[in-house]
mmCIF file of all heavy atoms in Angstrom:
data_model
loop_
_atom_site.group_PDB
_atom_site.id
_atom_site.type_symbol
_atom_site.label_atom_id
_atom_site.label_comp_id
_atom_site.label_asym_id
_atom_site.label_seq_id
_atom_site.Cartn_x
_atom_site.Cartn_y
_atom_site.Cartn_z
ATOM 1 N N MET A 1 0.786 -1.187 -0.043
ATOM 2 C CA MET A 1 -0.035 -0.012 -0.007
ATOM 3 C C MET A 1 0.822 1.288 0.012
ATOM 4 O O MET A 1 0.528 2.266 -0.674
ATOM 5 C CB MET A 1 -0.943 0.008 1.246
ATOM 6 C CG MET A 1 -1.969 -1.099 1.226
ATOM 7 S SD MET A 1 -2.843 -1.139 2.814
ATOM 8 C CE MET A 1 -3.607 0.462 2.843
ATOM 9 N N TYR A 2 1.916 1.272 0.767
ATOM 10 C CA TYR A 2 2.658 2.493 0.990
ATOM 11 C C TYR A 2 4.123 2.509 0.529
ATOM 12 O O TYR A 2 4.887 3.446 0.721
ATOM 13 C CB TYR A 2 2.619 2.958 2.542
ATOM 14 C CG TYR A 2 1.288 2.987 3.080
ATOM 15 C CD1 TYR A 2 0.824 2.041 3.913
ATOM 16 C CD2 TYR A 2 0.410 4.090 2.650
ATOM 17 C CE1 TYR A 2 -0.442 2.141 4.487
ATOM 18 C CE2 TYR A 2 -0.846 4.189 3.290
ATOM 19 C CZ TYR A 2 -1.319 3.273 4.106
ATOM 20 O OH TYR A 2 -2.535 3.323 4.637
ATOM 21 N N GLY A 3 4.561 1.339 -0.075
ATOM 22 C CA GLY A 3 5.941 1.135 -0.485
ATOM 23 C C GLY A 3 6.837 0.750 0.671
ATOM 24 O O GLY A 3 6.241 0.338 1.731
ATOM 25 N N SER A 4 8.102 0.974 0.530
ATOM 26 C CA SER A 4 9.051 0.550 1.525
ATOM 27 C C SER A 4 8.835 1.219 2.875
ATOM 28 O O SER A 4 9.240 0.750 3.945
ATOM 29 C CB SER A 4 10.506 0.721 1.063
ATOM 30 O OG SER A 4 10.748 2.134 0.893
ATOM 31 N N VAL A 5 8.239 2.456 2.840
ATOM 32 C CA VAL A 5 7.963 3.199 4.091
ATOM 33 C C VAL A 5 7.036 2.379 5.062
ATOM 34 O O VAL A 5 7.231 2.392 6.258
ATOM 35 C CB VAL A 5 7.216 4.516 3.761
ATOM 36 C CG1 VAL A 5 6.724 5.188 5.019
ATOM 37 C CG2 VAL A 5 8.137 5.414 2.974
ATOM 38 N N GLY A 6 6.217 1.554 4.458
ATOM 39 C CA GLY A 6 5.279 0.783 5.358
ATOM 40 C C GLY A 6 5.927 -0.333 6.179
ATOM 41 O O GLY A 6 5.288 -0.723 7.119
ATOM 42 N N VAL A 7 7.106 -0.794 5.784
ATOM 43 C CA VAL A 7 7.793 -1.941 6.465
ATOM 44 C C VAL A 7 8.149 -1.660 7.846
ATOM 45 O O VAL A 7 7.683 -2.327 8.773
ATOM 46 C CB VAL A 7 8.872 -2.467 5.560
ATOM 47 C CG1 VAL A 7 9.626 -3.573 6.382
ATOM 48 C CG2 VAL A 7 8.480 -3.070 4.251
ATOM 49 N N PRO A 8 8.940 -0.580 8.145
ATOM 50 C CA PRO A 8 9.320 -0.334 9.533
ATOM 51 C C PRO A 8 8.035 0.073 10.421
ATOM 52 O O PRO A 8 7.999 -0.246 11.537
ATOM 53 C CB PRO A 8 10.287 0.759 9.471
ATOM 54 C CG PRO A 8 10.065 1.443 8.142
ATOM 55 C CD PRO A 8 9.591 0.341 7.259
ATOM 56 N N TRP A 9 7.044 0.764 9.764
ATOM 57 C CA TRP A 9 5.876 1.156 10.550
ATOM 58 C C TRP A 9 5.123 -0.074 10.928
ATOM 59 O O TRP A 9 4.562 -0.152 12.055
ATOM 60 C CB TRP A 9 4.974 2.088 9.722
ATOM 61 C CG TRP A 9 5.628 3.509 9.795
ATOM 62 C CD1 TRP A 9 6.150 4.200 8.693
ATOM 63 C CD2 TRP A 9 5.642 4.446 10.844
ATOM 64 N NE1 TRP A 9 6.609 5.470 9.105
ATOM 65 C CE2 TRP A 9 6.174 5.600 10.377
ATOM 66 C CE3 TRP A 9 5.107 4.303 12.135
ATOM 67 C CZ2 TRP A 9 6.389 6.715 11.262
ATOM 68 C CZ3 TRP A 9 5.340 5.427 13.096
ATOM 69 C CH2 TRP A 9 5.967 6.603 12.562
ATOM 70 N N ALA A 10 4.996 -0.998 9.966
ATOM 71 C CA ALA A 10 4.297 -2.310 10.355
ATOM 72 C C ALA A 10 4.982 -3.049 11.499
ATOM 73 O O ALA A 10 4.335 -3.598 12.459
ATOM 74 C CB ALA A 10 4.254 -3.194 9.151
ATOM 75 N N MET A 11 6.354 -3.087 11.403
ATOM 76 C CA MET A 11 7.164 -3.674 12.454
ATOM 77 C C MET A 11 6.926 -2.985 13.811
ATOM 78 O O MET A 11 6.693 -3.625 14.864
ATOM 79 C CB MET A 11 8.604 -3.627 12.073
ATOM 80 C CG MET A 11 9.637 -3.730 13.223
ATOM 81 S SD MET A 11 9.548 -5.318 14.104
ATOM 82 C CE MET A 11 10.553 -4.784 15.504
ATOM 83 N N SER A 12 6.925 -1.660 13.758
ATOM 84 C CA SER A 12 6.722 -0.913 15.030
ATOM 85 C C SER A 12 5.353 -1.122 15.693
ATOM 86 O O SER A 12 5.221 -1.242 16.884
ATOM 87 C CB SER A 12 7.001 0.594 14.783
ATOM 88 O OG SER A 12 8.259 0.843 14.205
ATOM 89 N N ILE A 13 4.304 -1.118 14.808
ATOM 90 C CA ILE A 13 2.992 -1.359 15.239
ATOM 91 C C ILE A 13 2.771 -2.775 15.954
ATOM 92 O O ILE A 13 2.319 -2.920 17.086
ATOM 93 C CB ILE A 13 1.958 -1.119 14.133
ATOM 94 C CG1 ILE A 13 1.916 0.376 13.705
ATOM 95 C CG2 ILE A 13 0.563 -1.615 14.574
ATOM 96 C CD1 ILE A 13 1.143 0.594 12.448
ATOM 97 N N CYS A 14 3.319 -3.724 15.246
ATOM 98 C CA CYS A 14 3.258 -5.096 15.756
ATOM 99 C C CYS A 14 4.014 -5.394 16.987
ATOM 100 O O CYS A 14 3.491 -5.956 17.932
ATOM 101 C CB CYS A 14 3.603 -6.112 14.605
ATOM 102 S SG CYS A 14 2.417 -6.318 13.221
ATOM 103 N N TYR A 15 5.176 -4.924 16.966
ATOM 104 C CA TYR A 15 6.035 -5.052 18.124
ATOM 105 C C TYR A 15 5.549 -4.267 19.325
ATOM 106 O O TYR A 15 5.573 -4.781 20.461
ATOM 107 C CB TYR A 15 7.450 -4.611 17.845
ATOM 108 C CG TYR A 15 8.594 -5.241 18.616
ATOM 109 C CD1 TYR A 15 9.103 -6.487 18.234
ATOM 110 C CD2 TYR A 15 9.024 -4.611 19.731
ATOM 111 C CE1 TYR A 15 10.113 -7.042 18.907
ATOM 112 C CE2 TYR A 15 10.014 -5.234 20.553
ATOM 113 C CZ TYR A 15 10.606 -6.388 20.107
ATOM 114 O OH TYR A 15 11.568 -6.974 20.834
ATOM 115 N N GLY A 16 5.017 -3.109 19.064
ATOM 116 C CA GLY A 16 4.561 -2.313 20.199
ATOM 117 C C GLY A 16 3.300 -2.792 20.753
ATOM 118 O O GLY A 16 2.985 -2.564 21.916
ATOM 119 N N ILE A 17 2.493 -3.604 20.021
ATOM 120 C CA ILE A 17 1.324 -4.145 20.572
ATOM 121 C C ILE A 17 1.423 -5.541 21.023
ATOM 122 O O ILE A 17 0.878 -5.899 22.056
ATOM 123 C CB ILE A 17 0.130 -4.071 19.414
ATOM 124 C CG1 ILE A 17 -0.162 -2.620 19.082
ATOM 125 C CG2 ILE A 17 -1.154 -4.799 19.908
ATOM 126 C CD1 ILE A 17 -1.129 -2.424 17.966
ATOM 127 N N LEU A 18 2.099 -6.449 20.311
ATOM 128 C CA LEU A 18 2.118 -7.833 20.514
ATOM 129 C C LEU A 18 3.336 -8.330 21.372
ATOM 130 O O LEU A 18 3.334 -9.357 21.968
ATOM 131 C CB LEU A 18 2.231 -8.629 19.244
ATOM 132 C CG LEU A 18 0.999 -8.321 18.288
ATOM 133 C CD1 LEU A 18 1.163 -9.151 17.002
ATOM 134 C CD2 LEU A 18 -0.326 -8.749 19.015
ATOM 135 N N VAL A 19 4.331 -7.404 21.540
ATOM 136 C CA VAL A 19 5.524 -7.922 22.267
ATOM 137 C C VAL A 19 5.810 -6.968 23.419
ATOM 138 O O VAL A 19 5.898 -7.422 24.569
ATOM 139 C CB VAL A 19 6.796 -7.952 21.257
ATOM 140 C CG1 VAL A 19 8.065 -8.364 22.114
ATOM 141 C CG2 VAL A 19 6.512 -8.966 20.177
ATOM 142 N N LEU A 20 6.119 -5.733 23.231
ATOM 143 C CA LEU A 20 6.591 -4.808 24.164
ATOM 144 C C LEU A 20 5.812 -4.869 25.508
ATOM 145 O O LEU A 20 6.345 -4.954 26.570
ATOM 146 C CB LEU A 20 6.684 -3.374 23.517
ATOM 147 C CG LEU A 20 7.185 -2.316 24.521
ATOM 148 C CD1 LEU A 20 8.551 -2.621 25.157
ATOM 149 C CD2 LEU A 20 7.279 -0.927 23.789
ATOM 150 N N PRO A 21 4.422 -4.448 25.399
ATOM 151 C CA PRO A 21 3.727 -4.429 26.719
ATOM 152 C C PRO A 21 3.733 -5.741 27.544
ATOM 153 O O PRO A 21 3.760 -5.751 28.730
ATOM 154 C CB PRO A 21 2.378 -3.954 26.336
ATOM 155 C CG PRO A 21 2.140 -4.373 24.875
ATOM 156 C CD PRO A 21 3.598 -4.268 24.306
ATOM 157 N N TRP A 22 3.702 -6.804 26.778
ATOM 158 C CA TRP A 22 3.625 -8.127 27.482
ATOM 159 C C TRP A 22 4.992 -8.510 28.049
ATOM 160 O O TRP A 22 5.062 -9.197 29.134
ATOM 161 C CB TRP A 22 3.151 -9.166 26.519
ATOM 162 C CG TRP A 22 1.815 -8.795 25.907
ATOM 163 C CD1 TRP A 22 1.495 -8.329 24.648
ATOM 164 C CD2 TRP A 22 0.558 -8.797 26.565
ATOM 165 N NE1 TRP A 22 0.212 -8.013 24.543
ATOM 166 C CE2 TRP A 22 -0.399 -8.237 25.678
ATOM 167 C CE3 TRP A 22 0.207 -9.096 27.850
ATOM 168 C CZ2 TRP A 22 -1.770 -8.168 26.023
ATOM 169 C CZ3 TRP A 22 -1.173 -8.977 28.248
ATOM 170 C CH2 TRP A 22 -2.133 -8.490 27.221
ATOM 171 N N ILE A 23 6.103 -8.232 27.326
ATOM 172 C CA ILE A 23 7.376 -8.579 27.880
ATOM 173 C C ILE A 23 7.712 -7.682 29.126
ATOM 174 O O ILE A 23 8.332 -8.149 30.049
ATOM 175 C CB ILE A 23 8.498 -8.430 26.730
ATOM 176 C CG1 ILE A 23 9.624 -9.460 27.043
ATOM 177 C CG2 ILE A 23 9.078 -7.124 26.754
ATOM 178 C CD1 ILE A 23 9.180 -10.856 26.736
ATOM 179 N N GLN A 24 7.276 -6.371 29.065
ATOM 180 C CA GLN A 24 7.382 -5.519 30.235
ATOM 181 C C GLN A 24 6.611 -6.111 31.449
ATOM 182 O O GLN A 24 7.083 -6.146 32.560
ATOM 183 C CB GLN A 24 6.876 -4.125 29.871
ATOM 184 C CG GLN A 24 7.779 -3.355 29.065
ATOM 185 C CD GLN A 24 7.264 -1.962 28.760
ATOM 186 O OE1 GLN A 24 6.122 -1.826 28.290
ATOM 187 N NE2 GLN A 24 8.030 -0.935 28.972
ATOM 188 N N ARG A 25 5.338 -6.507 31.180
ATOM 189 C CA ARG A 25 4.464 -6.916 32.197
ATOM 190 C C ARG A 25 5.011 -8.158 32.840
ATOM 191 O O ARG A 25 5.079 -8.352 34.087
ATOM 192 C CB ARG A 25 3.153 -7.189 31.673
ATOM 193 C CG ARG A 25 2.058 -7.690 32.667
ATOM 194 C CD ARG A 25 0.733 -7.900 31.963
ATOM 195 N NE ARG A 25 -0.247 -8.463 32.900
ATOM 196 C CZ ARG A 25 -1.483 -8.753 32.647
ATOM 197 N NH1 ARG A 25 -1.888 -8.664 31.356
ATOM 198 N NH2 ARG A 25 -2.325 -9.315 33.548
ATOM 199 N N TYR A 26 5.526 -9.141 32.046
ATOM 200 C CA TYR A 26 5.967 -10.411 32.582
ATOM 201 C C TYR A 26 7.200 -10.270 33.372
ATOM 202 O O TYR A 26 7.380 -10.762 34.494
ATOM 203 C CB TYR A 26 6.193 -11.410 31.436
ATOM 204 C CG TYR A 26 6.518 -12.764 31.918
ATOM 205 C CD1 TYR A 26 5.422 -13.653 32.226
ATOM 206 C CD2 TYR A 26 7.743 -13.256 32.056
ATOM 207 C CE1 TYR A 26 5.668 -14.935 32.719
ATOM 208 C CE2 TYR A 26 8.008 -14.540 32.554
ATOM 209 C CZ TYR A 26 6.957 -15.386 32.851
ATOM 210 O OH TYR A 26 7.227 -16.587 33.337
ATOM 211 N N ALA A 27 8.228 -9.389 32.900
ATOM 212 C CA ALA A 27 9.395 -9.218 33.630
ATOM 213 C C ALA A 27 9.098 -8.503 34.864
ATOM 214 O O ALA A 27 9.777 -8.793 35.933
ATOM 215 C CB ALA A 27 10.436 -8.471 32.758
ATOM 216 N N LYS A 28 8.357 -7.427 34.870
ATOM 217 C CA LYS A 28 8.042 -6.693 36.037
ATOM 218 C C LYS A 28 7.360 -7.542 37.094
ATOM 219 O O LYS A 28 7.552 -7.483 38.332
ATOM 220 C CB LYS A 28 7.226 -5.431 35.701
ATOM 221 C CG LYS A 28 8.063 -4.381 35.061
ATOM 222 C CD LYS A 28 7.224 -3.178 34.725
ATOM 223 C CE LYS A 28 7.977 -2.052 34.087
ATOM 224 N NZ LYS A 28 7.110 -0.863 33.760
ATOM 225 N N HIS A 29 6.486 -8.371 36.621
ATOM 226 C CA HIS A 29 5.721 -9.245 37.520
ATOM 227 C C HIS A 29 6.676 -10.236 38.230
ATOM 228 O O HIS A 29 6.553 -10.421 39.481
ATOM 229 C CB HIS A 29 4.681 -10.178 36.732
ATOM 230 C CG HIS A 29 4.036 -11.228 37.492
ATOM 231 N ND1 HIS A 29 3.177 -10.956 38.540
ATOM 232 C CD2 HIS A 29 4.145 -12.549 37.424
ATOM 233 C CE1 HIS A 29 2.740 -12.044 39.024
ATOM 234 N NE2 HIS A 29 3.327 -13.050 38.393
ATOM 235 N N ARG A 30 7.724 -10.717 37.538
ATOM 236 C CA ARG A 30 8.626 -11.708 38.085
ATOM 237 C C ARG A 30 9.536 -10.882 39.104
ATOM 238 O O ARG A 30 9.879 -11.405 40.272
ATOM 239 C CB ARG A 30 9.518 -12.340 37.082
ATOM 240 C CG ARG A 30 8.791 -12.996 35.979
ATOM 241 C CD ARG A 30 7.804 -14.045 36.440
ATOM 242 N NE ARG A 30 8.518 -15.173 37.044
ATOM 243 C CZ ARG A 30 7.936 -16.278 37.559
ATOM 244 N NH1 ARG A 30 6.617 -16.342 37.447
ATOM 245 N NH2 ARG A 30 8.637 -17.193 38.070
ATOM 246 N N LEU A 31 9.927 -9.601 38.774
ATOM 247 C CA LEU A 31 10.792 -8.881 39.658
ATOM 248 C C LEU A 31 10.127 -8.338 40.881
ATOM 249 O O LEU A 31 10.691 -8.089 41.898
ATOM 250 C CB LEU A 31 11.398 -7.653 38.887
ATOM 251 C CG LEU A 31 12.385 -7.984 37.703
ATOM 252 C CD1 LEU A 31 12.751 -6.777 36.974
ATOM 253 C CD2 LEU A 31 13.662 -8.670 38.398
ATOM 254 N N ASN A 32 8.757 -8.152 40.802
ATOM 255 C CA ASN A 32 8.068 -7.636 41.929
ATOM 256 C C ASN A 32 7.638 -8.660 42.971
ATOM 257 O O ASN A 32 7.060 -8.323 44.009
ATOM 258 C CB ASN A 32 6.701 -6.848 41.479
ATOM 259 C CG ASN A 32 7.093 -5.625 40.896
ATOM 260 O OD1 ASN A 32 8.070 -4.865 41.224
ATOM 261 N ND2 ASN A 32 6.252 -5.168 39.934
ATOM 262 N N ARG A 33 7.939 -9.917 42.756
ATOM 263 C CA ARG A 33 7.635 -10.962 43.685
ATOM 264 C C ARG A 33 8.457 -10.813 44.921
ATOM 265 O O ARG A 33 9.625 -10.457 44.932
ATOM 266 C CB ARG A 33 7.934 -12.393 43.056
ATOM 267 C CG ARG A 33 6.900 -12.679 42.038
ATOM 268 C CD ARG A 33 7.136 -14.153 41.560
ATOM 269 N NE ARG A 33 6.007 -14.548 40.695
ATOM 270 C CZ ARG A 33 5.484 -15.754 40.677
ATOM 271 N NH1 ARG A 33 5.975 -16.672 41.418
ATOM 272 N NH2 ARG A 33 4.527 -16.065 39.948
ATOM 273 N N ASP A 34 7.879 -11.140 46.126
ATOM 274 C CA ASP A 34 8.655 -10.977 47.423
ATOM 275 C C ASP A 34 9.504 -12.195 47.574
ATOM 276 O O ASP A 34 9.435 -13.141 46.781
ATOM 277 C CB ASP A 34 7.695 -10.807 48.544
ATOM 278 C CG ASP A 34 6.796 -11.947 48.723
ATOM 279 O OD1 ASP A 34 7.021 -13.058 48.353
ATOM 280 O OD2 ASP A 34 5.688 -11.702 49.267
ATOM 281 N N GLY A 35 10.312 -12.208 48.590
ATOM 282 C CA GLY A 35 11.235 -13.259 48.887
ATOM 283 C C GLY A 35 10.727 -14.649 49.002
ATOM 284 O O GLY A 35 11.240 -15.584 48.561
ATOM 285 N N SER A 36 9.425 -14.724 49.462
ATOM 286 C CA SER A 36 8.877 -16.050 49.607
ATOM 287 C C SER A 36 8.469 -16.655 48.337
ATOM 288 O O SER A 36 8.167 -17.816 48.206
ATOM 289 C CB SER A 36 7.650 -15.971 50.581
ATOM 290 O OG SER A 36 6.656 -15.148 49.921
ATOM 291 N N GLN A 37 8.432 -15.855 47.316
ATOM 292 C CA GLN A 37 7.959 -16.298 46.027
ATOM 293 C C GLN A 37 9.131 -16.348 44.903
ATOM 294 O O GLN A 37 8.887 -16.577 43.748
ATOM 295 C CB GLN A 37 6.813 -15.395 45.345
ATOM 296 C CG GLN A 37 5.573 -15.451 46.233
ATOM 297 C CD GLN A 37 4.563 -14.514 45.755
ATOM 298 O OE1 GLN A 37 4.932 -13.251 45.689
ATOM 299 N NE2 GLN A 37 3.388 -14.895 45.448
ATOM 300 N N LYS A 38 10.333 -16.123 45.381
ATOM 301 C CA LYS A 38 11.468 -16.041 44.454
ATOM 302 C C LYS A 38 11.654 -17.366 43.692
ATOM 303 O O LYS A 38 12.350 -17.418 42.686
ATOM 304 C CB LYS A 38 12.757 -15.612 45.088
ATOM 305 C CG LYS A 38 12.656 -14.076 45.433
ATOM 306 C CD LYS A 38 13.901 -13.734 46.216
ATOM 307 C CE LYS A 38 13.876 -12.311 46.716
ATOM 308 N NZ LYS A 38 14.970 -11.809 47.527
ATOM 309 N N ARG A 39 11.247 -18.451 44.315
ATOM 310 C CA ARG A 39 11.357 -19.728 43.645
ATOM 311 C C ARG A 39 10.734 -19.786 42.266
ATOM 312 O O ARG A 39 11.005 -20.636 41.437
ATOM 313 C CB ARG A 39 10.813 -20.898 44.486
ATOM 314 C CG ARG A 39 9.361 -20.801 44.755
ATOM 315 C CD ARG A 39 8.895 -21.951 45.641
ATOM 316 N NE ARG A 39 7.529 -21.901 45.904
ATOM 317 C CZ ARG A 39 6.897 -21.220 46.758
ATOM 318 N NH1 ARG A 39 7.604 -20.329 47.554
ATOM 319 N NH2 ARG A 39 5.569 -21.187 46.954
ATOM 320 N N GLY A 40 9.770 -18.808 42.012
ATOM 321 C CA GLY A 40 9.185 -18.720 40.717
ATOM 322 C C GLY A 40 10.075 -18.566 39.572
ATOM 323 O O GLY A 40 9.783 -18.848 38.390
ATOM 324 N N TRP A 41 11.308 -17.968 39.857
ATOM 325 C CA TRP A 41 12.214 -17.858 38.752
ATOM 326 C C TRP A 41 12.728 -19.216 38.221
ATOM 327 O O TRP A 41 13.337 -19.295 37.123
ATOM 328 C CB TRP A 41 13.516 -17.070 39.300
ATOM 329 C CG TRP A 41 13.286 -15.588 39.436
ATOM 330 C CD1 TRP A 41 12.867 -14.991 40.532
ATOM 331 C CD2 TRP A 41 13.278 -14.616 38.412
ATOM 332 N NE1 TRP A 41 12.750 -13.561 40.319
ATOM 333 C CE2 TRP A 41 12.972 -13.453 38.975
ATOM 334 C CE3 TRP A 41 13.619 -14.666 37.088
ATOM 335 C CZ2 TRP A 41 12.972 -12.253 38.256
ATOM 336 C CZ3 TRP A 41 13.629 -13.524 36.341
ATOM 337 C CH2 TRP A 41 13.311 -12.302 36.937
ATOM 338 N N CYS A 42 12.537 -20.253 39.071
ATOM 339 C CA CYS A 42 13.042 -21.568 38.654
ATOM 340 C C CYS A 42 11.930 -22.448 38.124
ATOM 341 O O CYS A 42 12.129 -23.680 38.145
ATOM 342 C CB CYS A 42 13.757 -22.179 39.763
ATOM 343 S SG CYS A 42 15.229 -21.209 40.378
#
């Protein structure tokens, strides 16, 4: 539709929606666990 310009924008949109928020959420969830739950890393 837009030529080569559309390729990085498509990548940014998909990554920003399908990867970035979820990887942040998962990592922060693991890091926010207290000491009694640290075994979750394993």
Side-chain angles (χ1 to χ4, degrees):
M1 295 173 62
Y2 304 109
S4 61
V5 172
V7 173
W9 283 108
M11 156 65 193
S12 303
I13 292 169
C14 287
Y15 204 88
I17 295 174
L18 300 178
V19 176
L20 179 57
W22 304 105
I23 213 71
Q24 285 179 309
R25 179 181 177 183
Y26 190 83
K28 288 180 178 179
H29 172 69
R30 308 302 295 182
L31 289 173
N32 284 332
R33 290 187 167 213
D34 60 28
S36 64
Q37 293 173 306
K38 286 175 184 176
R39 64 182 180 275
W41 284 97
C42 301

